[in-house]
Amino acid sequence: MPVSMSGKFYVSPALTADGQMRFGKIVVDDSVTPQRSTFAYVRSCTNILACDPMQFPARLKIKKLTADVLLGDIRS
């Protein structure tokens, strides 16, 4: 499902606790930068015994997101 977002990218190199090399952070916050919603169809099973998937229309919007941008593992 494609989701549109607007936010900031910060270059913040570091080593994470699990040995990954972090290049930066992506920060998206709807209260700082209003986000637009994206139309999509969500598929879900409607029968308990056997999955009978149906599509339901939905509007998707990111309210808050913080993500690390990783370059790799220092152990490899």
Side-chain angles (χ1 to χ4, degrees), residues 4-72:
S4 175
M5 62 182 137
S6 297
K8 297 210 181 234
F9 172 75
Y10 299 96
V11 175
S12 175
L15 291 176
T16 63
D18 61 350
Q20 300 286 324
M21 291 185 293
R22 183 180 76 202
F23 177 65
K25 286 186 165 278
I26 296 173
V27 178
V28 177
D29 190 346
D30 187 48
S31 65
V32 176
T33 306
Q35 303 295 309
R36 62 186 182 126
S37 63
T38 304
F39 179 79
Y41 282 102
V42 177
R43 289 177 55 110
S44 179
C45 292
T46 56
N47 189 345
I48 296 172
L49 300 176
C51 184
D52 184 21
M54 290 186 64
Q55 290 186 341
F56 301 94
R59 302 267 338 155
L60 305 174
K61 180 178 181 179
I62 293 186
K63 299 299 270 175
K64 190 164 193 158
L65 169 84
T66 303
D68 288 338
V69 177
L70 302 175
L71 294 178

